[in-house]
């Protein structure tokens, strides 16, 4: 499988796409084609474990890495997950299900993609004969950073630099990130939004000057966010796994269409679901939920995005994103893979903070997606109702996905298409918010929130939360939104690690 750049249209191998992260002109890579997976193949997947399903899908895109390698990757990627099923499908009522993706070591869906991205990157580097050290750069709203650290902190030649919005994480998420161990790990807050953090990361990835500084230190750089296609492809597995579980349990017949509602700040999960549909999976629509910071929603409903639209912090912090990374991949497909058009519009976005879509693109989008937003009150009500009626607690981001699905059902009362609600984060990563939504009880301390949420729901707190309770935060730096200071801090981090520790 080859991969295509979204701005120049160049084609590269899988190894090059994973290693480079960004394509020519600062774009992204997408698959050159979408392999078809029909009924016969899906029937075989019904009897497979999640790891075997993952290996099957990965081989369609990363086959050049070798069958045995991919098999080993998938056998080890999901070790340490709680329970026998890495991505269990829970039935809520007659036509609604929840796909739980938070059973990994760091308690979010990132474990299901980053745990595969990490070995794929190592293999790509080896395949291309690259010997230099690597700096992995990423912005996080609370989950990506911890999962990257879990996967890379023991690599002698890989260093991690993570930026997070100072006020953009739950207290528990921030604490969980800042206590992480690792000699070659650095995390810093930025006194601004997630978009600003992400903007700095993308600028550094594209900067010739920063690249020169790294080269003088014998480093290359790679992005750890979903701009890297090796973060997107593993997420396709979620959809095939959920669908085949529905079939194998007799909930649906193969060929029957299903809807998915999944919230992701950078729209990576929505893009992965769209790719699954392009591969032949019987998905009717993917619900694309936004919270009240819905600048990107305007692109698909009004044809224009304004990145300077007023921003308000929410309890669904991972969705507080004005310009999702994967808008570019969506526009690339909607435009008929017109790289020149995508490049022109993305460059204009950088210059003016605005992005446009044509009427034809909006119409094409509406055939595969249902996009809407949920207010804070909508989210609270949906989370409360799920718990009150079914005893099922969710995190606020999944609450947005649930609330938008509720809106669709209210508008289409006779619609009986099965719905899979994708739960992406363990509720204990934001215990205070969840506790408030379910009980109205507002507590200031995160671990008091954990205790009371446990008493309320009887849901067991994960080890990733309980084991670090008395740890001291390692990372305390917070920077103003100034690129020079942030760049200097990252270079100082690279220079400060003693040689003896670099080789541990």
């Amino acid at each position: 499988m080859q991969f295509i750049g979204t701005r120049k249209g160049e084609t590269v191998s899988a190894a090059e796409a994973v290693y480079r992260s960004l394509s020519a002109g600062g774009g992204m890579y997408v698959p050159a084609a979408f392999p078809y997976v029909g009924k016969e193949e899906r029937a075989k997947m019904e009897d497979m474990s999640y790891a075997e399903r993952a290996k099957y899908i990965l081989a369609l895109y990363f086959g050049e890495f070798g069958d045995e390698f991919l098999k080993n990757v998938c056998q080890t990627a999901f070790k340490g997950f709680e329970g026998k099923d890495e991505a269990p499908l829970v039935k809520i009522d007659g036509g609604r299900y929840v796909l739980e993706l938070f059973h990994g070591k760091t308690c979010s869906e990132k474990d299901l993609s980053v745990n595969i991205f990490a070995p794929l990157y190592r293999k790509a580097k080896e395949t291309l004969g690259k010997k230099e050290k690597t700096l992995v750069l990423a912005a996080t709203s609370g989950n990506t950073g911890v999962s990257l650290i879990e996967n890379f902190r023991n690599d002698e030649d890989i260093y991690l630099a993570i930026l997070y919005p100072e006020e953009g994480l739950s207290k528990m998420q921030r604490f969980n990130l800042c206590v992480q161990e690792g000699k070659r790990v650095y995390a810093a807050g930025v006194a601004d939004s997630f978009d600003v953090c992400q903007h700095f990361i993308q600028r550094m990835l594209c900067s010739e000057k920063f690249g020169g500084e790294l080269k003088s230190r014998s480093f290359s750089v790679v992005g750890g966010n979903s701009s890297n296609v090796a973060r997107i492809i593993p997420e396709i597995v979620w959809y095939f796994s959920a669908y085949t579980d529905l079939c194998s349990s007799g909930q649906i017949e193969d060929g029957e269409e299903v809807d998915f509602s999944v919230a992701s700040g950078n729209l990576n999960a929505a893009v992965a679901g769209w790719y699954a549909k392009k591969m032949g999976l019987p998905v009717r629509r993917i619900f694309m939920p936004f919270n009240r910071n819905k600048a990107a929603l305007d692109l698909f409903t009004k044809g224009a995005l304004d990145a300077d639209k007023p921003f308000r912090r929410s309890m669904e912090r991972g969705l507080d994103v004005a310009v999702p990374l994967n808008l570019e991949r969506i526009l690339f497909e909607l435009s008929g893979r017109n790289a020149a058009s995508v490049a022109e519009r993305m460059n204009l976005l950088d210059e003016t903070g605005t992005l446009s879509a044509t009427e034809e693109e909006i119409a094409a989008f509406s055939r595969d997606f249902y996009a809407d937003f949920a207010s804070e009150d909508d989210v609270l009500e949906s989370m409360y109702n799920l718990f009150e009626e079914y005893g099922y607690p969710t995190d606020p981001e999944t609450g947005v996905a649930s609330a938008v699905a509720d809106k669709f059902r209210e508008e289409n009362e006779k619609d009986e298409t099965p719905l899979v609600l994708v739960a992406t984060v363990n509720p204990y990563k934001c215990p205070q918010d969840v506790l408030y939504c379910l009980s109205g009880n507002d507590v200031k301390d995160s671990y008091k929130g954990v205790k009371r949420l446990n008493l309320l729901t009887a849901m067991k707190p994960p080890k990733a939360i309980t084991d670090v309770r008395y740890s001291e935060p390692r990372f305390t730096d917070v920077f103003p939104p100034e690129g020079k200071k942030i760049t200097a801090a990252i270079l100082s981090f690279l220079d400060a690690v003693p040689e003896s520790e670099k080789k541990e």
Side-chain angles (χ1 to χ4, degrees), residues 339-481:
S341 172
V342 170
E344 180 181 359
R345 284 184 280 181
M346 296 309 295
N347 289 333
L348 191 63
L349 174 64
D350 289 338
E351 295 169 6
T352 68
T354 60
L355 184 65
S356 63
T358 67
E359 290 184 4
E360 292 78 12
E361 289 169 344
I362 294 172
F365 174 87
S366 298
R367 287 193 287 270
D368 291 331
F369 293 95
Y370 172 83
D372 206 337
F373 81 100
S375 68
E376 295 285 88
D377 287 343
D378 293 334
V379 175
L380 188 153
E381 182 178 0
S382 187
M383 290 174 64
Y384 178 81
N385 288 341
L386 270 176
F387 185 67
E388 183 71 11
E389 293 181 34
Y390 306 108
Y392 194 89
T394 68
D395 69 284
E397 292 175 32
T398 305
V400 177
S402 177
V404 167
D406 291 342
K407 278 190 174 185
F408 179 85
R409 291 303 166 95
E410 289 172 5
E411 297 167 3
N412 303 271
E413 294 181 2
K414 296 182 180 180
D415 192 291
E416 296 182 353
T417 304
L419 169 73
V420 177
L421 177 66
V422 183
T424 52
V425 183
N426 190 302
Y428 282 107
K429 294 204 80 171
C430 37
Q432 292 152 284
D433 296 319
V434 176
L435 180 67
Y436 177 74
C437 290
L438 302 189
S439 70
N441 193 343
D442 191 8
V443 297
K444 303 301 181 184
D445 180 78
S446 294
Y447 279 97
K448 184 176 287 186
V450 168
K451 182 178 180 180
R452 294 191 181 181
L453 189 58
N454 174 245
L455 291 172
L456 178 66
T457 66
M459 183 180 183
K460 183 181 178 182
K463 287 176 62 63
I465 299 297
T466 57
D467 284 358
V468 299
R469 179 174 184 177
Y470 299 106
S471 301
E472 287 293 324
R474 292 181 59 211
F475 307 116
T476 58
D477 289 348
V478 176
F479 295 100

